């Protein structure tokens, strides 16, 4: 069921990757940045490579 909703799946994937990359739990304030990452990868069909590259350049990873 989750795979039927690409946006929801991409958002969950990015959230897990943030936890993995930073070693910290997500904060409520991280939701906006995650939404921006997902929106930025819409044109690529939320591809895993695009999600990871966009996340790596984001404030979520660079500022922690």
């Amino acid at each position: 069921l989750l795979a039927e909703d690409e946006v929801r799946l991409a958002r969950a994937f990015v959230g897990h990757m943030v936890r993995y990359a930073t070693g910290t739990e997500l904060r409520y304030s991280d939701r906006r940045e995650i939404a921006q990452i997902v929106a930025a990868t819409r044109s690529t069909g939320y591809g895993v490579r695009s999600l990871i590259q966009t996340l790596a350049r984001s404030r979520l990873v660079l500022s922690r």
Side-chain angles (χ1 to χ4, degrees):
L1 291 172
L2 180 61
E4 292 177 2
D5 186 352
E6 291 178 333
V7 175
R8 189 174 175 192
L9 180 62
R11 196 170 39 239
F13 178 77
V14 172
H16 288 292
M17 290 304 297
V18 169
R19 286 186 201 102
Y20 177 77
T22 64
T24 61
E25 288 297 317
L26 290 176
R27 297 177 295 208
Y28 183 79
S29 60
D30 297 335
R31 291 173 50 171
R32 177 178 285 162
E33 186 77 20
I34 290 171
Q36 290 173 349
I37 291 166
V38 171
T41 59
R42 181 174 186 232
S43 65
T44 65
Y46 310 107
V48 172
R49 181 178 296 184
S50 298
L51 288 167
I52 292 172
Q53 288 174 345
T54 306
L55 173 62
R57 293 187 302 262
S58 74
R59 177 193 60 83
L60 289 173
V61 173
L62 296 176
S63 67
R64 290 191 184 177

